[in-house]
Amino acid sequence: QPMRKLIIGANWKSNGTIQSIRSLVQTVLNPAIIDYKNTEVVIAPMYIHLPIVKDILKSDFHLGAQNCSLTGPGAYTGEVAAEHLKDLGIPWVILGHSERRHIYGESDAVIAEKVKRAGALGLKTIICVGENLDERVAGTTTEVVSRQLDAIKYSLSDWNNVVIAYEPVWAIGTGKTATPEQAQEVHGSIRLWIGSNIGRLVANSTRVIYGGSVTDENCKELLVLDDIDGFLVGGASLKPAFKTILEICD
Ligand code: G3P
């Protein structure tokens, strides 16, 4: 198996208070002792918490935003552009999360444009794909994921800065994790897509991570799979269990 550095993302979503995130950093993240040469950790608090976390988070960890604007800076009320993330020194951004797609109506085309903008500025992107329950039941998972990937195909010139996160929508926040077989099947198909659409070397070097009800209990059995290179953790990343997840993945 090619040496792909593991990557664990913490997607805190729209959660926390100044007090709770400070305490999470001080009691769960900063004390975690893992080999950061082998494992990359990206913490994604909500926008307004980014500077606060940046001040206190130890430098072994990296910071990410959970979204960025479709536009650059300017008269775009309420938006935060990739340029602003760059200005703050935030190297990563999560794009295409299913909550953005489904609750905020972001289409494949919108996500492709965001990916393009972020990539052009040199931000590293975690691009989320995944089917909903109806699509899984209908047997169209691979089709849906390929369509989502097709959309970003021409948005990126540098795949070194890209991580793909497979997050089946039915597994997000539900406690229903994909089985190792289900996850490996889709991760394998994502790597095949990269191989035939971008290139074989890129397919070997791109990290494909899993998200959806990852816990300290189930991460081990997923991590051993050939095509799983880490996780994007939601709920469990707000708890002491995240330290255990990091230590298991080390
Ligand atoms: O981005 C991570 C996320 O969608 C998974 O959430 O709470 O199921 O771990 P959760």
Side-chain angles (χ1 to χ4, degrees):
Q1 193 180 341
M3 282 304 292
R4 291 183 293 265
K5 191 171 179 174
L6 287 181
I7 176 160
I8 316 293
N11 178 4
W12 289 353
K13 308 192 179 181
S14 197
N15 286 299
T17 60
I18 292 173
Q19 204 193 344
S20 74
I21 56 152
R22 274 186 195 279
S23 128
L24 192 62
V25 172
Q26 277 149 0
T27 65
V28 176
L29 298 181
N30 287 351
I33 309 284
I34 63 166
D35 188 348
Y36 296 99
K37 284 192 298 300
N38 299 331
T39 309
E40 206 168 349
V41 185
V42 178
I43 308 297
M46 61 168 123
Y47 287 139
I48 62 169
H49 288 162
L50 277 167
I52 300 168
V53 176
K54 188 170 191 275
D55 274 349
I56 56 173
L57 188 67
K58 67 174 174 181
S59 61
D60 297 308
F61 293 97
H62 307 279
L63 274 169
Q66 301 167 13
N67 184 24
C68 72
S69 173
L70 179 61
T71 57
Y76 304 105
T77 304
E79 291 298 308
V80 173
E83 283 85 346
H84 300 128
L85 299 177
K86 207 175 165 185
D87 182 44
L88 189 62
I90 306 301
W92 286 89
V93 59
I94 299 170
L95 293 172
H97 191 280
S98 71
E99 286 147 19
R100 300 297 325 167
R101 291 176 188 267
H102 298 123
I103 305 174
Y104 300 98
E106 290 188 9
S107 63
D108 285 345
V110 163
I111 293 158
E113 179 61 21
K114 291 185 174 192
V115 166
K116 190 173 172 184
R117 296 194 65 89
L121 285 170
L123 292 180
K124 302 175 190 213
T125 49
I126 297 176
I127 303 168
C128 305
V129 296
E131 83 288 4
N132 64 30
L133 186 59
D134 289 346
E135 292 161 337
R136 171 151 292 264
V137 170
T140 56
T141 298
T142 318
E143 236 169 87
V144 169
V145 168
S146 297
R147 188 204 72 222
Q148 292 167 338
L149 292 170
D150 286 341
I152 57 151
K153 181 169 169 178
Y154 300 108
S155 301
L156 289 161
S157 49
D158 185 3
W159 275 75
N160 285 318
N161 282 346
V162 178
V163 169
I164 303 293
Y166 169 54
E167 298 207 326
V169 180
W170 48 271
I172 297 176
T174 57
K176 289 194 180 75
T177 321
T179 64
E181 294 71 26
Q182 288 171 324
Q184 171 54 38
E185 189 186 6
V186 181
H187 281 238
S189 79
I190 291 171
R191 210 174 294 289
L192 273 178
W193 183 93
I194 302 172
S196 48
N197 289 276
I198 310 297
R200 214 165 57 89
L201 290 177
V202 178
N204 276 332
S205 60
T206 302
R207 275 89 54 89
V208 183
I209 63 178
Y210 170 82
S213 297
V214 171
T215 65
D216 49 338
E217 308 270 301
N218 60 29
C219 63
K220 208 172 187 161
E221 61 184 17
L222 291 163
L223 196 65
V224 297
L225 301 168
D226 278 357
D227 290 305
I228 296 194
D229 307 308
F231 303 108
L232 188 51
V233 186
S237 72
L238 291 157
K239 300 185 188 138
F242 191 64
K243 184 164 169 281
T244 315
I245 294 175
L246 292 179
E247 287 162 354
I248 290 171
C249 294
D250 186 27

